[in-house]
Short mmCIF file of all heavy atoms in Angstrom, two decimals:
data_model
loop_
_atom_site.label_atom_id
_atom_site.label_comp_id
_atom_site.label_asym_id
_atom_site.label_seq_id
_atom_site.Cartn_x
_atom_site.Cartn_y
_atom_site.Cartn_z
N PRO A 1226 122.84 184.98 168.84
CA PRO A 1226 122.66 186.23 169.58
C PRO A 1226 122.48 185.96 171.08
O PRO A 1226 122.95 186.73 171.91
CB PRO A 1226 121.41 186.84 168.97
CG PRO A 1226 120.71 185.71 168.29
CD PRO A 1226 121.76 184.71 167.92
N ASP A 1227 121.82 184.85 171.42
CA ASP A 1227 121.59 184.47 172.81
C ASP A 1227 122.42 183.20 173.07
O ASP A 1227 121.93 182.10 172.93
CB ASP A 1227 120.10 184.20 173.02
CG ASP A 1227 119.78 183.71 174.43
OD1 ASP A 1227 120.67 183.76 175.30
OD2 ASP A 1227 118.64 183.26 174.65
N PHE A 1228 123.69 183.40 173.42
CA PHE A 1228 124.59 182.26 173.60
C PHE A 1228 124.12 181.32 174.70
O PHE A 1228 124.45 180.13 174.70
CB PHE A 1228 126.02 182.73 173.90
CG PHE A 1228 126.20 183.31 175.28
CD1 PHE A 1228 126.44 182.51 176.37
CD2 PHE A 1228 126.11 184.68 175.47
CE1 PHE A 1228 126.60 183.05 177.64
CE2 PHE A 1228 126.26 185.23 176.73
CZ PHE A 1228 126.51 184.41 177.82
N ASP A 1229 123.32 181.83 175.64
CA ASP A 1229 122.94 181.03 176.80
C ASP A 1229 122.10 179.81 176.42
O ASP A 1229 122.20 178.77 177.06
CB ASP A 1229 122.20 181.90 177.82
CG ASP A 1229 122.25 181.28 179.20
OD1 ASP A 1229 123.34 180.88 179.63
OD2 ASP A 1229 121.18 181.17 179.83
N ARG A 1230 121.29 179.89 175.37
CA ARG A 1230 120.49 178.73 174.94
C ARG A 1230 121.38 177.57 174.50
O ARG A 1230 121.17 176.43 174.89
CB ARG A 1230 119.56 179.12 173.79
CG ARG A 1230 118.34 179.90 174.22
CD ARG A 1230 117.36 180.16 173.08
NE ARG A 1230 117.09 178.97 172.29
CZ ARG A 1230 117.18 178.92 170.96
NH1 ARG A 1230 117.53 179.97 170.26
NH2 ARG A 1230 116.90 177.81 170.31
N LEU A 1231 122.37 177.88 173.66
CA LEU A 1231 123.28 176.84 173.20
C LEU A 1231 124.12 176.31 174.36
O LEU A 1231 124.31 175.10 174.51
CB LEU A 1231 124.19 177.37 172.09
CG LEU A 1231 125.24 176.42 171.57
CD1 LEU A 1231 124.61 175.16 170.97
CD2 LEU A 1231 126.11 177.12 170.53
N LEU A 1232 124.60 177.20 175.18
CA LEU A 1232 125.41 176.81 176.32
C LEU A 1232 124.62 175.92 177.28
O LEU A 1232 125.10 174.88 177.72
CB LEU A 1232 125.94 178.05 177.02
CG LEU A 1232 127.07 177.87 178.01
CD1 LEU A 1232 128.28 177.20 177.37
CD2 LEU A 1232 127.47 179.21 178.59
N ALA A 1233 123.40 176.30 177.59
CA ALA A 1233 122.56 175.52 178.50
C ALA A 1233 122.32 174.12 177.96
O ALA A 1233 122.40 173.13 178.71
CB ALA A 1233 121.23 176.23 178.75
N ASN A 1234 122.04 174.01 176.67
CA ASN A 1234 121.78 172.70 176.09
C ASN A 1234 123.02 171.82 176.13
O ASN A 1234 122.96 170.64 176.47
CB ASN A 1234 121.26 172.84 174.65
CG ASN A 1234 120.46 171.64 174.20
OD1 ASN A 1234 119.89 170.90 174.99
ND2 ASN A 1234 120.41 171.45 172.89
N SER A 1235 124.17 172.39 175.82
CA SER A 1235 125.40 171.60 175.83
C SER A 1235 125.85 171.26 177.25
O SER A 1235 126.39 170.19 177.50
CB SER A 1235 126.51 172.31 175.06
OG SER A 1235 126.88 173.52 175.69
N LEU A 1236 125.61 172.15 178.19
CA LEU A 1236 125.96 171.87 179.59
C LEU A 1236 125.15 170.71 180.15
O LEU A 1236 125.64 169.95 180.99
CB LEU A 1236 125.76 173.12 180.46
CG LEU A 1236 126.82 174.19 180.32
CD1 LEU A 1236 126.37 175.47 181.01
CD2 LEU A 1236 128.14 173.71 180.88
N SER A 1237 123.93 170.56 179.66
CA SER A 1237 123.07 169.50 180.18
C SER A 1237 123.55 168.11 179.79
O SER A 1237 123.14 167.12 180.40
CB SER A 1237 121.63 169.71 179.71
OG SER A 1237 121.52 169.43 178.33
N VAL A 1238 124.43 168.00 178.80
CA VAL A 1238 124.89 166.68 178.35
C VAL A 1238 126.37 166.42 178.60
O VAL A 1238 126.85 165.31 178.40
CB VAL A 1238 124.57 166.46 176.85
CG1 VAL A 1238 123.07 166.50 176.62
CG2 VAL A 1238 125.30 167.45 175.97
N ALA A 1239 127.12 167.42 179.03
CA ALA A 1239 128.56 167.25 179.28
C ALA A 1239 128.76 166.65 180.67
O ALA A 1239 128.49 167.30 181.67
CB ALA A 1239 129.27 168.59 179.19
N GLN A 1240 129.21 165.42 180.71
CA GLN A 1240 129.36 164.73 181.98
C GLN A 1240 130.65 165.09 182.72
O GLN A 1240 130.64 165.20 183.94
CB GLN A 1240 129.31 163.21 181.77
CG GLN A 1240 127.98 162.75 181.21
CD GLN A 1240 126.82 163.16 182.10
OE1 GLN A 1240 126.80 162.86 183.29
NE2 GLN A 1240 125.87 163.88 181.54
N GLN A 1241 131.76 165.24 182.00
CA GLN A 1241 133.05 165.47 182.65
C GLN A 1241 133.71 166.80 182.30
O GLN A 1241 134.31 167.42 183.14
CB GLN A 1241 134.03 164.35 182.29
CG GLN A 1241 133.61 163.00 182.76
CD GLN A 1241 134.54 161.91 182.23
OE1 GLN A 1241 135.55 162.17 181.58
NE2 GLN A 1241 134.20 160.68 182.51
N ARG A 1242 133.60 167.19 181.04
CA ARG A 1242 134.37 168.35 180.58
C ARG A 1242 133.56 169.14 179.56
O ARG A 1242 132.83 168.59 178.76
CB ARG A 1242 135.67 167.86 179.96
CG ARG A 1242 136.57 168.94 179.42
CD ARG A 1242 137.94 168.41 179.12
NE ARG A 1242 138.66 168.31 180.38
CZ ARG A 1242 139.89 167.83 180.49
NH1 ARG A 1242 140.53 167.39 179.43
NH2 ARG A 1242 140.48 167.78 181.67
N HIS A 1243 133.74 170.47 179.61
CA HIS A 1243 133.12 171.37 178.63
C HIS A 1243 134.20 172.33 178.17
O HIS A 1243 134.88 172.94 178.99
CB HIS A 1243 131.96 172.14 179.28
CG HIS A 1243 131.06 172.78 178.30
ND1 HIS A 1243 131.41 173.89 177.58
CD2 HIS A 1243 129.81 172.44 177.89
CE1 HIS A 1243 130.41 174.23 176.79
NE2 HIS A 1243 129.42 173.36 176.96
N ALA A 1244 134.37 172.43 176.86
CA ALA A 1244 135.38 173.32 176.31
C ALA A 1244 134.73 174.22 175.27
O ALA A 1244 133.76 173.83 174.61
CB ALA A 1244 136.51 172.51 175.66
N PHE A 1245 135.25 175.43 175.15
CA PHE A 1245 134.72 176.34 174.14
C PHE A 1245 135.81 177.27 173.64
O PHE A 1245 136.81 177.51 174.33
CB PHE A 1245 133.53 177.15 174.68
CG PHE A 1245 133.88 178.14 175.75
CD1 PHE A 1245 134.23 179.45 175.42
CD2 PHE A 1245 133.86 177.77 177.08
CE1 PHE A 1245 134.55 180.37 176.41
CE2 PHE A 1245 134.17 178.69 178.09
CZ PHE A 1245 134.52 179.99 177.74
N SER A 1246 135.63 177.73 172.42
CA SER A 1246 136.49 178.77 171.87
C SER A 1246 135.59 179.85 171.30
O SER A 1246 134.56 179.56 170.70
CB SER A 1246 137.43 178.20 170.80
OG SER A 1246 136.70 177.74 169.69
N VAL A 1247 135.97 181.08 171.55
CA VAL A 1247 135.19 182.24 171.12
C VAL A 1247 136.15 183.37 170.73
O VAL A 1247 137.34 183.32 171.03
CB VAL A 1247 134.24 182.76 172.23
CG1 VAL A 1247 133.16 181.75 172.55
CG2 VAL A 1247 135.01 183.12 173.49
N ALA A 1248 135.62 184.39 170.12
CA ALA A 1248 136.38 185.60 169.88
C ALA A 1248 136.63 186.27 171.23
O ALA A 1248 135.73 186.35 172.07
CB ALA A 1248 135.61 186.54 168.96
N ALA A 1249 137.85 186.71 171.46
CA ALA A 1249 138.15 187.44 172.70
C ALA A 1249 137.25 188.65 172.78
O ALA A 1249 136.97 189.32 171.78
CB ALA A 1249 139.62 187.85 172.72
N SER A 1250 136.77 188.95 174.00
CA SER A 1250 135.75 190.00 174.13
C SER A 1250 136.19 191.23 174.91
O SER A 1250 135.44 192.20 174.99
CB SER A 1250 134.50 189.42 174.81
OG SER A 1250 134.80 189.00 176.12
N SER A 1251 137.38 191.22 175.46
CA SER A 1251 137.79 192.38 176.27
C SER A 1251 139.13 192.93 175.80
O SER A 1251 139.87 192.27 175.07
CB SER A 1251 137.86 191.99 177.75
OG SER A 1251 138.83 190.99 177.95
N GLY A 1252 139.40 194.14 176.25
CA GLY A 1252 140.66 194.78 175.92
C GLY A 1252 140.81 195.05 174.43
O GLY A 1252 139.83 195.04 173.69
N PRO A 1253 142.03 195.25 173.99
CA PRO A 1253 142.27 195.54 172.57
C PRO A 1253 141.79 194.42 171.64
O PRO A 1253 141.28 194.70 170.56
CB PRO A 1253 143.79 195.69 172.49
CG PRO A 1253 144.21 196.07 173.88
CD PRO A 1253 143.25 195.38 174.79
N ARG A 1254 141.93 193.16 172.07
CA ARG A 1254 141.45 192.05 171.23
C ARG A 1254 139.94 192.12 171.02
O ARG A 1254 139.44 191.85 169.94
CB ARG A 1254 141.84 190.72 171.86
CG ARG A 1254 143.30 190.40 171.74
CD ARG A 1254 143.60 189.03 172.36
NE ARG A 1254 144.97 188.66 172.15
CZ ARG A 1254 145.95 188.89 173.03
NH1 ARG A 1254 145.68 189.48 174.18
NH2 ARG A 1254 147.18 188.51 172.77
N GLY A 1255 139.21 192.47 172.07
CA GLY A 1255 137.76 192.59 171.95
C GLY A 1255 137.37 193.71 170.99
O GLY A 1255 136.44 193.56 170.19
N ILE A 1256 138.08 194.82 171.07
CA ILE A 1256 137.81 195.94 170.16
C ILE A 1256 138.06 195.52 168.72
O ILE A 1256 137.24 195.75 167.82
CB ILE A 1256 138.66 197.17 170.54
CG1 ILE A 1256 138.23 197.71 171.91
CG2 ILE A 1256 138.58 198.25 169.45
CD1 ILE A 1256 139.19 198.72 172.51
N VAL A 1257 139.19 194.86 168.48
CA VAL A 1257 139.53 194.40 167.13
C VAL A 1257 138.48 193.40 166.63
O VAL A 1257 138.04 193.46 165.49
CB VAL A 1257 140.94 193.78 167.08
CG1 VAL A 1257 141.20 193.06 165.77
CG2 VAL A 1257 141.99 194.85 167.33
N ASN A 1258 138.07 192.47 167.50
CA ASN A 1258 137.07 191.47 167.09
C ASN A 1258 135.74 192.11 166.72
O ASN A 1258 135.12 191.74 165.73
CB ASN A 1258 136.87 190.42 168.18
CG ASN A 1258 137.95 189.37 168.15
OD1 ASN A 1258 138.46 189.03 167.09
ND2 ASN A 1258 138.30 188.86 169.31
N ARG A 1259 135.29 193.05 167.51
CA ARG A 1259 134.01 193.71 167.20
C ARG A 1259 134.09 194.47 165.88
O ARG A 1259 133.17 194.41 165.05
CB ARG A 1259 133.61 194.63 168.34
CG ARG A 1259 133.06 193.87 169.54
CD ARG A 1259 132.64 194.80 170.68
NE ARG A 1259 132.07 194.04 171.76
CZ ARG A 1259 132.77 193.40 172.70
NH1 ARG A 1259 134.09 193.42 172.69
NH2 ARG A 1259 132.16 192.72 173.66
N LEU A 1260 135.19 195.14 165.65
CA LEU A 1260 135.39 195.87 164.41
C LEU A 1260 135.48 194.90 163.23
O LEU A 1260 134.86 195.10 162.19
CB LEU A 1260 136.64 196.73 164.50
CG LEU A 1260 136.98 197.56 163.27
CD1 LEU A 1260 135.85 198.52 162.94
CD2 LEU A 1260 138.29 198.31 163.49
N ARG A 1261 136.25 193.85 163.38
CA ARG A 1261 136.42 192.84 162.32
C ARG A 1261 135.09 192.21 161.92
O ARG A 1261 134.78 192.08 160.74
CB ARG A 1261 137.39 191.77 162.80
CG ARG A 1261 137.69 190.69 161.80
CD ARG A 1261 138.71 189.71 162.36
NE ARG A 1261 138.31 189.15 163.64
CZ ARG A 1261 137.63 188.02 163.79
NH1 ARG A 1261 137.27 187.32 162.74
NH2 ARG A 1261 137.32 187.58 164.98
N ILE A 1262 134.28 191.86 162.90
CA ILE A 1262 132.99 191.24 162.61
C ILE A 1262 132.05 192.21 161.90
O ILE A 1262 131.35 191.83 160.97
CB ILE A 1262 132.38 190.65 163.90
CG1 ILE A 1262 133.16 189.39 164.28
CG2 ILE A 1262 130.90 190.37 163.75
CD1 ILE A 1262 132.81 188.82 165.63
N ARG A 1263 132.08 193.46 162.29
CA ARG A 1263 131.25 194.45 161.59
C ARG A 1263 131.69 194.62 160.15
O ARG A 1263 130.86 194.77 159.25
CB ARG A 1263 131.31 195.80 162.30
CG ARG A 1263 130.40 195.87 163.46
CD ARG A 1263 130.24 197.29 163.90
NE ARG A 1263 129.44 197.30 165.11
CZ ARG A 1263 129.34 198.32 165.91
NH1 ARG A 1263 129.99 199.44 165.63
NH2 ARG A 1263 128.59 198.26 166.98
N LEU A 1264 132.98 194.62 159.92
CA LEU A 1264 133.50 194.84 158.57
C LEU A 1264 133.33 193.61 157.68
O LEU A 1264 133.06 193.74 156.49
CB LEU A 1264 134.97 195.23 158.62
CG LEU A 1264 135.27 196.60 159.23
CD1 LEU A 1264 136.76 196.81 159.37
CD2 LEU A 1264 134.63 197.70 158.41
N GLU A 1265 133.49 192.42 158.23
CA GLU A 1265 133.39 191.20 157.42
C GLU A 1265 131.97 190.94 156.98
O GLU A 1265 131.71 190.71 155.81
CB GLU A 1265 133.91 189.98 158.18
CG GLU A 1265 135.40 189.92 158.25
CD GLU A 1265 135.89 188.70 159.02
OE1 GLU A 1265 135.06 187.90 159.50
OE2 GLU A 1265 137.10 188.56 159.15
N GLY A 1266 131.05 190.90 157.93
CA GLY A 1266 129.65 190.70 157.59
C GLY A 1266 129.29 189.32 157.07
O GLY A 1266 128.16 189.06 156.73
N CYS A 1267 130.24 188.43 156.94
CA CYS A 1267 129.92 187.08 156.48
C CYS A 1267 130.92 186.11 157.08
O CYS A 1267 131.97 186.49 157.57
CB CYS A 1267 129.93 187.00 154.97
SG CYS A 1267 131.54 187.23 154.22
N HIS A 1268 130.59 184.86 157.02
CA HIS A 1268 131.46 183.80 157.52
C HIS A 1268 132.60 183.61 156.53
O HIS A 1268 132.37 183.39 155.35
CB HIS A 1268 130.67 182.50 157.69
CG HIS A 1268 131.45 181.44 158.35
ND1 HIS A 1268 132.29 180.61 157.66
CD2 HIS A 1268 131.54 181.07 159.65
CE1 HIS A 1268 132.85 179.75 158.49
NE2 HIS A 1268 132.42 180.02 159.70
N ARG A 1269 133.81 183.68 157.01
CA ARG A 1269 134.97 183.53 156.16
C ARG A 1269 134.91 182.20 155.40
O ARG A 1269 134.67 181.16 155.99
CB ARG A 1269 136.23 183.57 157.02
CG ARG A 1269 137.49 183.58 156.24
CD ARG A 1269 138.70 183.57 157.10
NE ARG A 1269 138.41 183.66 158.51
CZ ARG A 1269 139.18 184.25 159.39
NH1 ARG A 1269 140.29 184.78 159.02
NH2 ARG A 1269 138.85 184.28 160.66
N GLY A 1270 135.09 182.25 154.11
CA GLY A 1270 135.15 181.04 153.31
C GLY A 1270 133.83 180.62 152.68
O GLY A 1270 133.82 179.95 151.67
N THR A 1271 132.71 181.01 153.26
CA THR A 1271 131.43 180.58 152.70
C THR A 1271 130.80 181.64 151.84
O THR A 1271 130.02 181.32 150.95
CB THR A 1271 130.41 180.19 153.79
OG1 THR A 1271 130.05 181.38 154.50
CG2 THR A 1271 130.96 179.16 154.74
N GLY A 1272 131.11 182.91 152.11
CA GLY A 1272 130.50 183.99 151.35
C GLY A 1272 129.06 184.26 151.73
O GLY A 1272 128.45 185.18 151.22
#
């Protein structure tokens, strides 16, 4: 819920490069992602 804690911890140890992948958050993709996450309610594959 508070992405900044994880980001801050990982930034403190990344010497050269930091990469991340997330659900798109803006435009039509962001709308679809928010709706998809509400409907799924669980992590795909784990149940």
Side-chain angles (χ1 to χ4, degrees):
D1227 177 10
F1228 72 85
D1229 201 48
R1230 283 186 47 231
L1231 177 60
L1232 195 56
N1234 203 25
S1235 65
L1236 284 169
S1237 72
V1238 298
Q1240 298 303 305
Q1241 297 174 5
R1242 179 167 282 178
H1243 196 287
F1245 68 91
S1246 65
V1247 294
S1250 64
S1251 62
R1254 287 182 175 94
I1256 294 167
V1257 169
N1258 279 327
R1259 284 180 177 82
L1260 180 60
R1261 182 178 54 92
I1262 286 171
R1263 278 194 185 165
L1264 292 174
E1265 284 180 0
C1267 67
H1268 187 275
R1269 186 182 355 212
T1271 68

